[in-house]
Amino acid sequence: MSEKRDYYEVLGLSKGASKGDIKKSYRKLAMKFHPDRNPDNAEAEAKFKEVSEAYAVLSDEEKKARYDQYGHAGLGQGGGGFGGFQSTDEIFSQFGDIFGDFFGFGRGGGGGGGGRQQRRRGEDLQVTVDIDFLQAVHGCEKSISIPRKEHCSTCDGTGAAPGSKPVTCDMCNGTGNVSMQQMFFQIRQPCPKCKGKGKIIVKPCKDCKGEGRVRRKNDVKISVPPGVDTGVALRLSGKGNDGESGASPGDLKVILRVRDHDFFQREGEHITCTIPITYPQACLGAKVKVPTVDEDADLEIPAGTQPGKVFTLRGKGAPHLGSRRGRGNQYVQVIVGVPTEMTPAEEALVRKLAELHQDDVNERGFFQSLWDKF
């Protein structure tokens, strides 16, 4: 398909569908287009992949939030994108539990061509990474160290001690599944003796204790796209735990947490800040330099500017994540700074100004009288 259909349309749902409705609709459509029910049917297989891709996005809260806001553009590679399934085996590996509700195992059922051993996909991992405010605005490259399960080099991932091999399970004959008859259907379920692996380890490897995997620290480089904010998650495909021998690894989910900045604050793609100006600048007007996330910008302060006035620097905010709509704005609020200490000359000038306004500084206050004028 040259252009992806709306995922809600693919599942026959409206945008406000609940998590339960999403799962229910997917199960119904997945069973309808299941390859074992549609052998040698390329169109049904394509539909099976399409509904599975839609479910993979809408069943994931982080992916669903980005899709609801930005559509397919919000699932780009930088933001933890999703490129669809390349084969039905990937679908069975990831969503085998859903098909298990019907058939008791990942692939097969209904007299279909199942019966082969399913390899377990590696578990997904999740880590939280702190980044600086400006790194979040501009994007950055970071290297993180994570512990993950990798294939044991001692036993080459088999779980059996060197010199020995796993033996075929005598209950399921190595298929990993056993069959039972229920009404008109033949139901398959994981073999209780070998736990669905099809093999039994008689002499476990001393390094991995028979699991076939050991935990090691790995350095992973992540690419943080411009415009991210706290809570944005990046998904790195294949960077989770290794799966069983022959199965795909899990993914790594990186949740970003942005540190506060001393000067800037963030409101979506917009940035806010507060700058002080002097009383003469507020009265007479001035041109001042304002820091932005890029470089200083000139800001014209018109004469008679009131405390709390907010000015807009267009296009000086953060980029729109997952979009080409440019950048947000920077909003600059000004406050009029009142000196806590004055030189004798300064005090004399202020008193002279008060006299011009015929104010009693000691009784009422010079600035109070000015406030009354406004």
Side-chain angles (χ1 to χ4, degrees):
M1 299 176 66
S2 59
E3 184 174 341
K4 288 183 182 294
R5 286 203 296 155
D6 178 79
Y7 286 144
Y8 290 99
E9 178 187 342
V10 169
L11 295 182
L13 299 169
S14 60
K15 191 171 182 179
S18 67
K19 191 172 183 179
D21 289 338
I22 292 171
K23 184 174 183 179
K24 182 178 179 181
S25 179
Y26 170 62
R27 295 199 321 185
K28 179 180 178 181
L29 292 171
M31 298 316 299
K32 177 181 178 180
F33 299 116
H34 196 287
D36 286 343
R37 288 185 169 181
N38 302 273
D40 301 321
N41 188 330
E43 183 179 355
E45 182 175 350
K47 290 284 188 182
F48 183 64
K49 291 179 181 178
E50 184 182 37
V51 298
S52 297
E53 177 179 334
Y55 178 71
V57 171
L58 299 183
S59 63
D60 183 297
E61 291 185 5
E62 179 265 323
K63 288 180 181 176
K64 180 177 180 294
R66 290 209 311 276
Y67 180 75
D68 287 346
Q69 186 171 4
Y70 302 114
H72 292 290
L75 304 173
Q77 185 65 33
F82 183 79
F85 293 101
Q86 299 301 315
S87 67
T88 55
D89 283 342
E90 291 184 39
I91 300 172
F92 300 134
S93 176
Q94 186 164 344
F95 302 132
D97 59 326
I98 293 180
F99 302 114
D101 291 346
F102 289 85
F103 298 115
F105 71 117
R107 173 78 188 260
R116 64 182 180 183
Q117 177 188 344
Q118 295 296 305
R119 301 291 184 181
R120 290 189 182 89
R121 175 180 177 270
E123 301 87 356
D124 291 340
L125 298 177
Q126 180 173 304
V127 63
T128 299
V129 175
D130 292 326
I131 61 174
D132 291 333
F133 186 94
L134 295 180
Q135 288 178 325
V137 172
H138 297 299
C140 65
E141 301 284 335
K142 290 188 74 72
S143 181
I144 59 176
S145 181
I146 60 166
R148 64 185 295 268
K149 291 183 177 180
E150 298 181 340
H151 286 136
C152 175
S153 58
T154 303
C155 64
D156 199 24
T158 65
S164 68
K165 294 182 179 180
V167 298
T168 300
C169 176
D170 56 3
M171 178 174 286
C172 64
N173 294 321
T175 64
N177 301 306
V178 292
S179 302
M180 59 180 292
Q181 194 74 26
Q182 190 176 66
M183 300 295 288
F184 301 104
F185 295 99
Q186 186 181 43
I187 308 300
R188 291 182 179 273
Q189 60 186 12
C191 174
K193 186 172 183 179
C194 65
K195 303 296 188 292
K197 295 182 177 181
K199 300 286 185 179
I200 296 176
I201 298 173
V202 179
K203 188 177 180 183
C205 170
K206 61 180 180 62
D207 289 338
C208 65
K209 306 299 187 293
E211 185 182 349
R213 301 179 300 173
V214 292
R215 190 178 295 276
R216 295 192 182 96
K217 280 194 173 184
N218 272 254
D219 291 330
V220 178
K221 288 186 177 180
I222 60 173
S223 179
V224 179
V228 299
D229 206 347
T230 293
V232 168
L234 310 178
R235 186 175 292 273
L236 281 67
S237 178
K239 297 299 183 180
N241 288 335
D242 279 346
E244 291 183 353
S245 181
S248 60
D251 296 337
L252 172 63
K253 186 176 183 180
V254 181
I255 299 178
L256 300 176
R257 186 168 54 196
V258 181
R259 300 186 186 97
D260 291 336
H261 195 274
D262 293 337
F263 181 72
F264 300 113
Q265 292 82 43
R266 183 89 175 264
E267 295 179 4
E269 68 271 21
H270 302 306
I271 290 174
T272 64
C273 66
T274 301
I275 64 168
I277 59 174
T278 65
Y279 175 69
Q281 287 174 325
C283 291
L284 305 176
K287 179 185 287 188
V288 298
K289 292 286 187 181
V290 178
T292 74
V293 294
D294 297 313
E295 67 278 325
D296 290 350
D298 291 328
L299 177 64
E300 289 285 348
I301 305 294
T305 292
Q306 302 300 303
K309 171 73 175 177
V310 176
F311 296 91
T312 301
L313 297 175
R314 299 199 176 276
K316 295 296 184 181
H320 296 267
L321 180 63
S323 173
R324 297 181 179 179
R325 292 186 295 145
R327 297 171 63 164
N329 301 323
Q330 179 171 329
Y331 297 107
V332 183
Q333 184 181 48
V334 297
I335 58 173
V336 178
V338 178
T340 56
E341 295 182 1
M342 291 188 294
T343 65
E346 290 171 333
E347 183 176 349
L349 289 173
V350 172
R351 290 188 180 277
K352 181 63 175 177
L353 183 59
E355 291 174 4
L356 292 175
H357 287 276
Q358 298 180 349
D359 294 313
D360 186 345
V361 176
N362 294 324
E363 290 185 6
R364 221 163 155 266
F366 167 64
F367 287 106
Q368 179 64 46
S369 66
L370 289 180
W371 177 259
D372 291 342
K373 294 181 184 297
F374 300 125

